[in-house]
Amino acid sequence: MTKIFTDHQERWLTGLGLLALVGFIGWIDSFFVMWVFLGVIYMFGFYEAMKLFKLVSPPAYFWAALLWIIAYFYPNPDDLFFLIAILFGASLAYLHNFDKKLIFPFLYPVSGILFFLILYEDFGIVSMFWLLVTVALTDVGAFFTGKAIGKTKFSDTSPNKTLEGVIGGIVIATVFGTYAGLYITPFWTALVVTLLTATASVFGDLFESYLKREAGVKDSGDLLPGHGGILDRIDGYLFGAPMMVIALRAFL
């Protein structure tokens, strides 16, 4: 066990630093501060996605930033996803002169990060804590379970993941994450929402692995020592946040 910590010391230290920062942001519990914090993540994530998709378009950064500014004032940020699709389709049909793949970074990670803001706006800081606990425990639980008993490969996309690890991570996250959800919902609702969110986060991580394999890179960036880029750190959340919002809206 000690070897796991010493071999990944840089990763653990960075993780603890990020946890402290997130805890401080949560303690402040201000929509503006949360919007700024998520906005930094949003723009770095967008930059990394542009590299993963091998896209070069300075105007895309302007539109991404403008979209986030609008999200601050607009009461239903998830509507903006459909606005993007409408504007993109209209522009593509009318102009014919830009890369169709430019929609990709607006699908991932933009739409996912918009759901972070929606989760906070609609369900409060406790829901953000619930999401953090669920996704983090899915990741950590899968890591330790996989190290302990993992034998069966989960997917060719990520050869290091094992089925036993994935199941262990989901179970651990569901058991403990459910209790974080009790501050918002009854037990059975919290259980189902946590289970769905944990499962979605596994595939968020897998999708990021797929993108990196397609791009031929190990990490999405090098901003976070021991973790790689922003997308490497939030990949599970980019699927987990939309799933939690959708599930909460369905069951509440």
Side-chain angles (χ1 to χ4, degrees), residues 112-124:
I113 298 177
L114 280 173
F115 273 94
F116 279 87
L117 195 63
I118 295 163
L119 186 66
Y120 177 71
E121 191 170 10
D122 289 358
F123 300 102

Side-chain angles (χ1 to χ4, degrees), residues 15-16 18-26 34 37 41 116 119 124-140 173 176-177 180-181 194 197-198 201 233-234 236-237 240-241 244:
L16 289 173
L18 290 173
L19 187 61
L21 175 60
V22 169
F24 179 67
I25 298 296
M34 183 65 72
F37 175 64
I41 294 172
F116 279 87
L119 186 66
I125 193 64
V126 174
S127 68
M128 299 289 278
F129 175 73
W130 184 8
L131 176 68
L132 176 67
V133 167
T134 299
V135 177
L137 286 178
T138 303
D139 188 28
V140 173
F176 292 99
T194 305
T197 302
S201 74
R233 185 61 272 157
I234 67 169
Y237 297 92
M244 181 169 280

Side-chain angles (χ1 to χ4, degrees), residues 46-65:
F46 189 83
Y47 167 73
E48 291 177 3
M50 289 287 284
K51 290 198 303 178
L52 286 178
F53 292 123
K54 300 178 181 178
L55 295 168
V56 178
S57 175
Y61 293 95
F62 166 80
W63 290 110

Side-chain angles (χ1 to χ4, degrees), residues 194-209:
T194 305
L195 174 62
L196 291 173
T197 302
T199 304
S201 74
V202 169
F203 288 93
D205 181 80
L206 194 65
F207 182 70
E208 173 70 7
S209 297

